[in-house]
């Protein structure tokens, strides 16, 4: 139950990886030989599956990256250098993962712009009135998570995007926690950039995608320089390749892109609606069980929630909870979840978090709650059992 950190891999994905290495591997986009053609085809097919997964208009808008962290750093760096000037403002919500805060702080420092926080309420929902008050003609970027990893809140991206566009700001969506659970549609959301990690959606580690609106990707400078991303190099100057290759310097992570394509197909074969319905049932079940434990506090009570059940048990430290349930064979995450501002909001150092994937069951949730009774026993809270 630590799937928000990383999901386990189905055979469809591990077989695709093994098959690729055993039969199709070579470097891409450069060989005249058959193997290189096959590798290139497999790699570019994975780009097409990724395009379909986020419903982008064109594969030119899909860049392979290492994961969400790299996607966000790429946008902050390339779009930031293109667009940000002294006095500009970047709006980032209070519930962001550090990877959607720190790259913007780095860019703000370099450009003389400022990062401002969109606050949330105690249920873990963005305060939309405050968001609207923060938007003004200085707002250049709104960087927002679709689903918060520490709370499970699903944010109203479509609405926030429309309001950001009214003041001329670009919208960057962190879809790391949304991609495993929700149907993504960049055209419907109308966002300018969206990024996700393959390893959280049953795919390999070290691979993810960044979607960018074609017009913007064309306008902004490359992120890294090297092979693959150029059209012509001389000592007088360099012409860059067309997108998406302009943003893919060096030999790409070919095998894991293929594995990622297989993960996308795995999810689509199961059905994104089926996955969401199953996980929502699990979350609801966990909330029902929790209601019967009066010393259990839930972090994240948003109306629209997905995947994450974060909690505290009386005054027992989350690290103790995590260690004890692990003895019962249950994996949960404890700590600040790379979201220290969220911990600060609730005035705690850490929380315990169970996060669900399509293979989890209500039986497993029963076992988690039995194990939590064991935690209470160990800490001598016998009167609560
Ligand atoms: N954004 C969100 C919302 C995340 O949950 C994470 C990882 C990231 C960005 C970074 O993703 P990466 O694949 O580049 O590392 N979140 C978690 C988590 O909740 N527990 O471990 C990692």
């Amino acid at each position: 139950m630590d799937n928000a950190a990383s999901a386990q891999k189905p055979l469809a994905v591990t077989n695709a990886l093994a098959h690729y290495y055993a039969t199709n591997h070579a470097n891409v986009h450069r060989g005249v030989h058959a193997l290189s053609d096959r590798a290139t085809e497999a790699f570019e097919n994975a780009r097409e599956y990724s395009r379909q997964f986020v419903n982008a208009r064109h594969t030119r808008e899909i860049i392979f990256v290492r994961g969400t962290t790299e996607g966000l750093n790429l946008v902050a760096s390339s779009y930031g250098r293109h667009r940000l000037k002294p006095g500009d403002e970047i709006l980032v919500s209070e519930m962001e993962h550090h990877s959607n805060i720190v790259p913007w702080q780095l860019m703000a420092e370099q450009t003389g712009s400022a990062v401002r926080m969109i606050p949330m309420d105690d249920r873990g929902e963005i305060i939309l009135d405050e968001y609207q008050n923060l938007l003004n003609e200085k707002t250049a970027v709104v960087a927002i998570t679709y689903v918060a990893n520490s709370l499970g809140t699903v944010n109203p991206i479509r609405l926030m995007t429309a309001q950001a566009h009214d003041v001329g700001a670009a919208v960057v969506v962190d879809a790391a926690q949304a991609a495993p659970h929700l149907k993504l549609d960049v055209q419907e959301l109308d966002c300018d950039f969206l990024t996700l990690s393959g390893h959280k959606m049953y795919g390999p580690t070290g691979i993810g995608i960044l979607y960018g609106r074609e017009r913007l990707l064309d306008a902004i400078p490359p992120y890294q320089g090297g092979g693959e991303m150029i059209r012509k190099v001389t000592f007088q100057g360099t012409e860059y390749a067309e997108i998406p290759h302009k943003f893919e310097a060096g030999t790409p992570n070919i095998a894991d892109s293929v594995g990622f394509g297989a993960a996308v197909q795995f999810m689509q074969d199961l059905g994104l609606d089926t996955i969401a319905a199953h996980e929502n049932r699990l979350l609801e079940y966990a909330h029902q069980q929790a209601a019967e434990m009066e010393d259990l506090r839930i972090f994240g009570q948003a109306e629209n929630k997905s995947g994450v059940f974060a909690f505290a048990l009386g005054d027992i430290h989350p690290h103790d909870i995590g260690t004890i349930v692990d003895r019962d064979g249950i994996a949960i995450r404890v700590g600040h979840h790379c979201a220290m501002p969220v911990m600060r909001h609730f005035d705690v150092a850490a929380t315990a978090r169970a996060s669900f994937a399509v293979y989890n069951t209500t039986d497993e949730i029963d076992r988690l709650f039995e194990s939590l009774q064991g935690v209470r026993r160990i800490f001598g809270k016998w009167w609560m059992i």
Side-chain angles (χ1 to χ4, degrees), residues 2 4-6 66-70 72 97 99-100 145 147-150 174 176-177 197 199-200 333 337-338 353:
D2 191 17
S6 200
R66 207 153 51 78
T68 305
T69 302
E70 188 174 57
L72 291 168
H97 186 278
S99 64
N100 204 18
T145 194
V147 174
N149 72 317
S150 55
D174 172 348
Q177 296 296 343
S197 298
H199 70 95
K200 294 187 197 290
R333 184 169 174 196
H337 313 289
C338 302
R353 180 189 71 181

Side-chain angles (χ1 to χ4, degrees), residues 83 89-91 134-142 167-170:
R83 165 82 195 260
E89 292 178 353
I90 303 155
L91 302 189
L134 282 164
L135 285 168
N136 63 62
E137 70 286 352
K138 289 185 288 184
T139 315
V141 174
V142 173
V167 298

Side-chain angles (χ1 to χ4, degrees), residues 21 52 60 163 180 201 260 283 336 361:
Y21 276 126
Q52 289 169 17
R60 284 193 294 275
Q163 291 174 343
M201 37 185 286
F260 176 70
L283 191 58
H336 56 63
T361 62

Side-chain angles (χ1 to χ4, degrees), residues 233-382:
V233 179
T234 68
F235 279 99
Q236 281 68 50
T238 289
E239 285 171 31
Y240 306 128
E242 298 287 327
I243 60 169
H245 307 294
K246 180 170 105 178
F247 294 100
E248 293 181 352
T251 298
N253 187 349
I254 309 162
D256 292 321
S257 305
V258 173
F260 176 70
V264 165
Q265 286 180 296
F266 167 78
M267 287 183 69
Q268 274 163 347
D269 287 349
L270 282 178
L272 295 168
D273 292 339
T274 313
I275 295 174
H278 177 71
E279 290 167 347
N280 288 340
R281 231 181 355 258
L282 295 178
L283 191 58
E284 207 173 296
Y285 188 73
H287 274 252
Q288 279 164 8
Q289 303 285 88
E292 287 165 26
M293 292 174 86
E294 61 187 64
D295 57 341
L296 192 145
R297 175 184 179 194
I298 298 174
F299 298 91
Q301 306 262 21
E303 192 68 35
N304 196 359
K305 211 181 142 174
S306 176
V308 167
F309 176 70
F311 62 95
L313 195 57
D315 56 2
I316 302 169
H317 197 285
H319 280 90
D320 290 327
I321 299 174
T323 308
I324 295 166
V325 302
D326 178 52
R327 286 199 223 151
D328 292 333
I330 300 169
I332 61 169
R333 184 169 174 196
V334 297
H336 56 63
H337 313 289
C338 302
M340 284 188 182
V342 173
M343 301 301 116
R344 186 175 178 159
H345 180 104
F346 291 106
D347 198 21
V348 292
T351 68
R353 180 189 71 181
S355 51
F356 306 121
V358 71
Y359 40 68
N360 288 127
T361 62
T362 49
D363 270 1
E364 290 172 338
I365 294 172
D366 286 341
R367 283 182 51 195
L368 170 66
F369 279 88
E370 276 163 29
S371 189
L372 291 178
Q373 296 290 14
V375 173
R376 282 164 151 179
R377 259 192 300 277
I378 287 170
F379 280 86
K381 310 237 168 176
W382 48 267

